[in-house]
Amino acid sequence: MRAFVIAVAACALTLALAPAHAAEIDQGKQEALARLNEVRRSNGVPPLAWNALLEKAAQAHSEDMASAGFVDTTGSDGASPAERIANAGYAAWPGLRVWAESVYAGQGNFDQVLAFLLGNAEQRRILLSTRLREVGIGIAKDESRTYWTLTFGAQPNLLPVFINEGAPVTNDRQVAVLLTQEEAVPEGEQNAVGRIVEVRVSDRPDFAGAGWQPWERLIPYTLPARAGKHTIYVEMRDGAGRTTLAADSIEYDPTATDAVRPLAPEGSLLPTPEADPESDTSAAMEGLPPPAATATPTPPPPSMDAWPATAVVVTLRPTPTPTAANATAAPTPTPTRRARRPGISADDAPLVTGAVLGYLALQLGAAALYVLLRRRRRAG
């Protein structure tokens, strides 16, 4: 019965846990995601998984900026990034939402956006953060500019995995499964996993015959011999025994040529970074004052549009859950073109990931079916 429940739950969660492939993303966003992950890979940081809920929040904000002609993380209706992300349904830990957002407007392409963001210390720390593991990108245009919104996040119990770094197809059965780690809330919380200590990997959702092994950033795996789409499931367990599931899919086509991406240079898919690019923000996670924000963003190159490009960063800093008393007293945020001080929002109530709810619902349904079948057998 337990194996049946795990198998059904894993199948149901595959779509939710697998990063979106290129064909499912608009061309411009697909190219931006690829370039962003190239930058992260070259700096020894795991790639970001695409998240449709973060994309929804980001796209709405880019369209808002384009229609109203402003550049800021605060919307024309006064909504903050945290409010947009929460309204989109993106999950959070109890009392803590992990997110960051950068906005930019100009006439250049995404390479110029990246150059601007990487030229600013605060922005660079966000783009190379190991605590942020998902992203959604919004793109909108008016008559003269393109408005970009990059909305980043991390949610409990969702640690993306990538086969061959998210490549859609391979012509080799030997692939590499890249794992991410719980860096946002390493200690875990309640039913949310903390840092993973061991995993098991299988192309079967019931993990039949798959043994546990120590967590590693990169795990080799051999796909089944038949050509076609294959899904690899990963079950992860932290030191407290809490588990979570992840999955990714890839097409095995022995005849594929141009669509195949090389695994890694020099036999190493993802080198371990020498230093954590966010090490100076760890104090903020402990309740100490956050690092000082950069007073003004680095100006764009002269070749960009004269309109001042703005990039705003929100780093990870927990704040108390708002009460009715202080919520009514809070002033309405006013749009500005200056970089805001790093901050993070808290939720009104604990949010549980859809994956956990789906898993529990399937367990209950399977158990009820089992009891019903036993009763019928006795009655017969």
Side-chain angles (χ1 to χ4, degrees), residues 282-365:
S282 59
M285 294 294 290
E286 299 171 358
L288 301 178
T294 303
T296 56
T298 303
S303 60
M304 289 190 182
D305 186 71
W307 182 270
T310 303
V312 183
V313 177
V314 182
T315 53
L316 314 179
R317 180 160 58 93
T319 55
T321 302
T323 62
N326 60 33
T328 55
T332 301
T334 302
T336 176
R337 289 185 173 82
R338 296 179 55 197
R340 294 181 177 275
R341 181 180 180 82
I344 121 134
S345 171
D347 285 325
D348 293 331
L351 295 177
V352 183
T353 64
V356 173
L357 288 175
Y359 181 82
L360 293 176
L362 287 167
Q363 278 188 312
L364 291 174

Side-chain angles (χ1 to χ4, degrees), residues 61 65 71-73 101-105 117 148-150 310-312:
H61 188 58
M65 289 192 295
V71 188
D72 190 80
T73 54
E101 185 172 88
S102 297
V103 299
Y104 179 95
L117 297 177
W148 299 82
T149 302
L150 279 65
T310 303
V312 183

Side-chain angles (χ1 to χ4, degrees), residues 140-160:
K141 297 182 179 181
D142 61 13
E143 295 179 354
S144 59
R145 305 177 188 90
T146 301
Y147 296 80
W148 299 82
T149 302
L150 279 65
T151 304
F152 306 88
Q155 55 182 319
N157 287 327
L158 207 160
L159 302 174

Side-chain angles (χ1 to χ4, degrees), residues 93-146:
W93 284 264
L96 177 67
R97 181 173 296 282
V98 179
W99 59 277
E101 185 172 88
S102 297
V103 299
Y104 179 95
Q107 293 179 330
N109 58 23
F110 190 70
D111 282 341
Q112 291 176 309
V113 179
L114 276 179
F116 174 83
L117 297 177
L118 292 170
N120 177 279
E122 292 292 326
Q123 298 293 340
R124 182 180 181 86
R125 184 161 60 250
I126 290 301
L127 262 62
L128 303 182
S129 169
T130 57
R131 293 174 171 87
L132 300 169
R133 48 186 180 254
E134 295 183 292
V135 68
I137 300 175
I139 307 173
K141 297 182 179 181
D142 61 13
E143 295 179 354
S144 59
R145 305 177 188 90
T146 301

